Amino acid sequence: MRIEQSRPYVIDRLKYALNPQSIAVVGSSRLDGKVGFKVIEGLQKWGYQGKIFPVNPRAQKVQNLPAYRTIKDIEEDVDLAFVAVPAHVVKSVLEDCATKGVKIVVISTSAFKEIGREQLQDELTQFCRDHQMPLIGPNLVGMGSPYFHFNCGFIPYLPVPGPVAMISQSGANFLAALGTSQEDHLGMSFFVGLGNKADVDFCEFIDYANQDPNTGSIAVYIEGLDSPEAFKKSVQNSHKPVVVIKVGGSPIGKKAAFAHTASENPHDDDFYQQIFDEAGAIRAQTWQEFLDVSLALGLMPPIQRDHIVMITNGGGSGLLSADHFERKGLPLHELSEISPALAMRIRNYMPMFGSPLNPVDISGTATPVQYKGAVSQALRDPNVDLVYVSICPTAVTDVNQVADEIIAVYDKNKKLNKPVIMECQGGKECHDIILKLRDHGIPAYPTAEQAVNAIVALHKYGNILAKR
């Protein structure tokens, strides 16, 4: 249901959705494979330290925990109620939650507006609003945070800790992002599935993420935007970058979005683009770009000028990057245009057949010491805004040692507050150093295009901030 702006009571209570001291699992089950079983299993497996109250009227114990007939029978306070019961039972559960004084409710159950039962969904939503009891969902997978060891839903694992807050209507896509986090160290502060988004809206989780000390960037996957003005206000007020991906624009996509999360898309793409532009959100067109850009904006400061220096041991990577910068409307400048003396200083760290243009090609024989010297010179030059480092493995180049040198140079010069982006193109050895770099706070990518997309986003966000 539409809202005009974020509601303070909702934002205040969202902390109970991601770091509750107690959880009632309504519809808890003794059968492995049921949602009500997996919720408790996930909470216990990943180290949740709060109290868990299974609610099941036909059981005395669930997974070795005392069970309760109703949530009203629980003697202690309940911060969060996770509801996994059939749709026709949800109303009575919400009434019990309101009587109990539950602070926030999550409804995993499906079969509401997405199958034509809009009136029932709206009735539940209005009941929760009347009682100022925020409702997340219905029709969702769950939420969690690696910082609180909190895995609440039917979710196989937590992401690695990091700066990206993932707010998604799609459970499948944020589950894919969790897998990427595990495999590629895309660090997250928290993640949440909104499903049908009946009550709690994007804007309120954006406002919550804006206050969250673990969040550096806010990534929002959108199927339907039914409160565009509220969304715009929250993004405009955010002092953290917001990255969006909007789906459901094609004719068949519109139908699929409604069947999936009851999302309506009555407007054409120009409408949404205008909202994002006015809000100051960074829009990604593909899922990979969405993840890559969110990571870079979460880890690195933005830039306002376009004085970007690329240092590489591979001319091919330099050419791929240069062409993609051009396509994205951010062409590279020659080194002599950025800083006339820098080319001479960098020449000390390359063979005579290297190229001090931009990209700066220090050749396929580049050593860790040469990388260290060239990157240090570029990073310390006051005319340089961002250093983009690329490496490919050769028989004489130890990519692991190069990564260690880049980390050391970055750590030594952190006070300069200049972004460093790295591309490592190759096999397993490059994947391993991408993980190492990300774990040390440096966005690193396996292809030139991904790295360039990240840099372009840092520049775009810098310009957004300059206009505020």
Side-chain angles (χ1 to χ4, degrees), residues 158-171:
L158 287 176
V160 300
V164 180
M166 177 69 63
I167 304 165
S168 173
Q169 282 189 270
S170 167

Side-chain angles (χ1 to χ4, degrees), residues 390-412:
S390 172
I391 185 171
C392 66
T394 72
V396 296
T397 301
D398 187 323
V399 295
N400 191 55
Q401 285 188 22
V402 170
D404 287 342
E405 293 291 358
I406 301 304
I407 290 169
V409 170
Y410 173 69
D411 287 345
K412 187 176 181 180

Side-chain angles (χ1 to χ4, degrees), residues 133-284:
M133 183 174 65
L135 159 65
I136 302 175
N139 183 25
L140 57 78
V141 173
M143 68 279 298
S145 169
Y147 288 98
F148 302 124
H149 306 285
F150 183 61
N151 178 353
C152 187
F154 47 111
I155 299 162
Y157 34 62
L158 287 176
V160 300
V164 180
M166 177 69 63
I167 304 165
S168 173
Q169 282 189 270
S170 167
N173 284 339
F174 88 59
L175 288 171
L178 299 189
T180 299
S181 179
Q182 289 267 321
E183 183 70 18
D184 297 331
H185 291 200
L186 178 86
M188 294 188 193
S189 54
F190 71 82
F191 61 91
V192 60
L194 295 184
N196 288 9
K197 197 167 50 63
D199 181 33
V200 177
D201 193 77
F202 294 123
C203 61
E204 288 155 335
F205 263 109
I206 290 171
D207 287 345
Y208 171 83
N210 195 35
Q211 301 171 3
D212 177 35
N214 297 315
T215 295
S217 67
I218 305 166
V220 188
Y221 167 93
I222 300 171
E223 294 189 4
L225 192 62
D226 46 18
S227 299
E229 290 303 315
F231 173 87
K232 187 162 64 174
K233 290 174 187 175
S234 291
V235 177
Q236 288 171 338
N237 292 333
S238 176
H239 62 267
K240 298 175 183 179
V242 178
V243 183
V244 301
I245 185 166
K246 170 68 179 68
V247 300
S250 63
I252 195 69
K254 290 181 180 180
K255 294 181 179 180
F258 187 87
H260 183 215
T261 56
S263 296
E264 299 177 88
N265 287 284
H267 306 289
D268 61 19
D269 191 69
D270 289 342
F271 169 84
Y272 295 104
Q273 187 61 56
Q274 183 177 349
I275 292 293
F276 300 146
D277 289 342
E278 292 175 356
I282 306 291
R283 187 180 190 183

Side-chain angles (χ1 to χ4, degrees), residues 19-33:
N19 188 24
Q21 299 305 300
S22 58
I23 302 172
V25 181
V26 185
S28 61
S29 175
R30 292 166 289 183
L31 300 176
D32 192 356

Side-chain angles (χ1 to χ4, degrees), residues 314-350:
S317 173
L319 289 167
L320 285 172
S321 297
D323 286 354
H324 198 51
F325 273 119
E326 192 79 27
R327 284 192 293 270
K328 300 295 284 187
L330 189 66
L332 288 177
H333 299 285
E334 288 194 23
L335 216 57
S336 59
E337 298 174 23
I338 296 174
S339 179
L342 182 57
M344 293 301 298
R345 294 198 301 271
I346 286 182
R347 266 210 172 278
N348 295 322
Y349 302 99
M350 68 171 69

Side-chain angles (χ1 to χ4, degrees), residues 103-114:
K103 297 182 178 67
I104 194 162
V105 176
V106 176
I107 300 179
S108 175
T109 310
S110 303
F112 291 100
K113 185 178 177 181
E114 76 277 9

